[in-house]
Amino acid sequence: MTKASDRFPEDEFDAEPAPDAPIGVHRAPRSWWSRWWPFVAVVVLVPAVTVGLVAWASSWDGRLPGFGDSTEPAAAAPSEPETSAPADGAAGTEDPGIEEPPVETEAPPAQEEEPAPTADLAADVRVLNASNRSGLAASAASDLEDAGFTSVTPGNGNAGGLQQTTVFYGSADLAPTAQQVADALGIANVVEDAGTAPEGVVVLLLADFGR
């Protein structure tokens, strides 16, 4: 192809290169800082890293974080304190210099005693004379009234083979009343007999009665 037939005008790329010009790809000349900064970095950083490693190694105790030292002995269990036996060999001997406070013991609750049965001074009391002495029943009835009895009736009775003056009562609840009648008249014989005393108290006076 000739220049006459070239469609494009000539430019700087069509000019012939100078004989002393560089041929091929080339770079611009480097500055002094770009050539020296790697050496400066080595001189500054290497001593700093070395000092840091030495300081860390001097403070390291040989254990990695989170891991215990398997060479450490296990903690010994606390031993129980030994108790010395008394010098005289007697177990449980108290120190005479220490006074223990008195132990308060609660007193047992008092048991409520049942009230003693009392005589019924309004009970029906019949005084029967079975002796040969007249007026004996009336005299004994008067003595009972003086003792507080309010329903006393004198009369005559039959000994029926009985040899001793006796106070009869018909049920256990009349026992205190019969005993008080006997005490008021000085009679020693007191008998429970519902046949002789179906109701109340019956006093059968015989010849041995001392009134």
Side-chain angles (χ1 to χ4, degrees):
M1 181 181 294
T2 62
K3 290 184 179 181
S5 62
D6 191 3
R7 295 181 301 172
F8 300 98
E10 293 184 359
D11 52 18
E12 66 271 17
F13 295 102
D14 294 326
E16 292 291 334
D20 56 351
I23 299 174
V25 179
H26 63 278
R27 297 179 180 178
R30 298 172 61 186
S31 63
W32 69 272
W33 171 249
S34 63
R35 294 193 302 267
W36 287 98
W37 76 264
F39 300 100
V40 174
V42 171
V43 172
V44 174
L45 293 179
V46 170
V49 172
T50 302
V51 172
L53 289 175
V54 172
W56 175 78
S58 62
S59 61
W60 184 45
D61 56 359
R63 290 182 295 178
L64 295 177
F67 296 91
D69 189 358
S70 59
T71 60
E72 291 184 358
S79 59
E80 297 182 358
E82 297 181 357
T83 56
S84 57
D88 55 357
T93 305
E94 297 182 356
D95 188 356
I98 301 176
E99 296 182 359
E100 294 185 356
V103 179
E104 297 182 359
T105 57
E106 296 183 358
Q111 296 181 354
E112 296 182 0
E113 297 181 357
E114 295 182 359
T118 57
D120 182 9
L121 299 180
D124 184 19
V125 180
R126 291 183 297 160
V127 182
L128 304 179
N129 185 4
S131 68
N132 294 325
R133 290 182 293 170
S134 63
L136 189 61
S139 175
S142 177
D143 292 340
L144 291 177
E145 290 176 349
D146 293 342
F149 290 93
T150 60
S151 182
V152 183
T153 304
N156 294 321
N158 185 4
L162 192 65
Q163 301 295 324
Q164 185 179 4
T165 300
T166 305
V167 177
F168 296 95
Y169 62 96
S171 58
D173 59 326
L174 289 174
T177 304
Q179 187 61 50
Q180 188 160 336
V181 169
D183 293 342
L185 298 178
I187 300 173
N189 196 25
V190 180
V191 177
E192 180 179 356
D193 187 353
T196 305
E199 295 180 359
V201 178
V202 174
V203 180
L204 187 60
L205 302 176
L206 301 180
D208 65 333
F209 183 64
R211 297 295 180 101

